[in-house]
Amino acid sequence: APQQVQGRIEFRHVWFTYGDDRSDDAEWILRDVSFTIEPGQSLAVVGATGAGKSTVVSLLCRFYEVQRGNLLVDGVDVKDWDARDLRRRIGLVQQDVFLFAGTVGDNISLGDRDLSRQRIEAAARNTNADRFIRRLPQTYDQPVGERGVSLSSGQRQLLSFARVLAADPEILVLDEATANVDTETEMWIQEALGRLMCERTSLVIAHRLSTVSTVDAILVLHHGEVREMGTHDELLDQ
């Protein structure tokens, strides 16, 4: 695998099904899906539930293997990458943020002893997470209950952004990251997202066109097939 990751992602005629039937009339979740995201660019994948959006993420992270076609990262088939090495380069932000018992700082560093306190705090500042962390009685040493019970959904989201920024991956994957949050936190989240996506290859999974007006391109999936692709304005015109 390449040492210096550019973050180029390419799906080449990708087919995928969870079933054993691989004939053309099987229940394919993805059918002949092709697209490319150039390094530093952002692509949103939109479509109704069941269109195959999350499967795109699962294949990129190699939770499942492509059955037909190829998926390449920096021109190398993901099957030829070391899975752990590949996942280390992908920052995955999901709607349901996993927090473990430990301090706020531990939850940002994921227990990585190589991450300095300075870097943890810088990541929190750059993703607006410090806006609520500094109000906590013990700031970064504040214990977080299992599943983050003491934090609101917006605060958990900001914490997960800080976690991704601290790890500094080349590829960012956002799985419908903007949950239901209050207006102030929503503003902080949008601002943090802009910073996270800056100069990173970003794949954004969304259900609505309105949440992805700032990305470089939008891919519309319908029943596992690419229906159309273009900028936000081009798709609105259609």
Side-chain angles (χ1 to χ4, degrees), residues 132-205:
F132 78 86
I133 295 172
R134 29 168 217 253
R135 294 182 196 155
L136 300 172
Q138 295 170 270
T139 63
Y140 290 86
D141 299 316
Q142 180 78 22
V144 175
E146 291 279 0
R147 304 200 59 120
V149 278
S150 47
L151 300 178
S152 72
S153 65
Q155 289 171 335
R156 293 208 302 267
Q157 200 73 72
L158 289 170
L159 211 87
S160 74
F161 290 172
R163 179 187 281 176
V164 166
L165 195 60
D168 196 22
E170 289 86 353
I171 295 170
L172 178 67
V173 177
L174 298 165
D175 201 346
E176 188 64 284
T178 42
N180 316 325
V181 292
D182 60 89
T183 330
E184 184 185 37
T185 317
E186 174 97 55
M187 273 168 46
W188 292 350
I189 285 177
Q190 290 306 334
E191 193 182 281
L193 271 179
R195 290 185 196 157
L196 265 183
M197 290 168 75
C198 183
E199 294 179 3
R200 271 190 186 83
T201 305
S202 305
L203 176 65
V204 183
I205 303 295

Side-chain angles (χ1 to χ4, degrees), residues 74-143:
D74 285 359
V76 178
D77 195 302
V78 288
K79 290 176 176 154
D80 299 327
W81 275 84
D82 172 71
R84 281 186 59 180
D85 197 29
L86 179 68
R87 288 181 197 136
R88 240 204 341 265
R89 296 163 190 280
I90 299 172
L92 181 58
V93 178
Q94 290 171 301
Q95 197 170 355
D96 194 21
V97 179
F98 176 76
L99 299 178
F100 53 87
T103 65
V104 166
D106 291 338
N107 268 283
I108 293 175
S109 70
L110 286 177
D112 183 348
R113 297 273 166 258
D114 294 339
L115 285 186
S116 66
R117 176 71 172 242
Q118 231 172 343
R119 186 154 151 192
I120 290 169
E121 291 185 13
R125 267 198 311 279
N126 283 324
T127 52
N128 290 335
D130 73 320
R131 289 172 181 266
F132 78 86
I133 295 172
R134 29 168 217 253
R135 294 182 196 155
L136 300 172
Q138 295 170 270
T139 63
Y140 290 86
D141 299 316
Q142 180 78 22

Side-chain angles (χ1 to χ4, degrees), residues 2-9 37-41 73-75 81 89 169-171 199-202:
Q3 290 310 302
Q4 186 53 46
V5 171
Q6 305 291 308
R8 187 174 194 273
I9 299 169
I37 315 176
E38 296 297 343
Q41 295 239 291
V73 171
D74 285 359
W81 275 84
R89 296 163 190 280
E170 289 86 353
I171 295 170
E199 294 179 3
R200 271 190 186 83
T201 305
S202 305

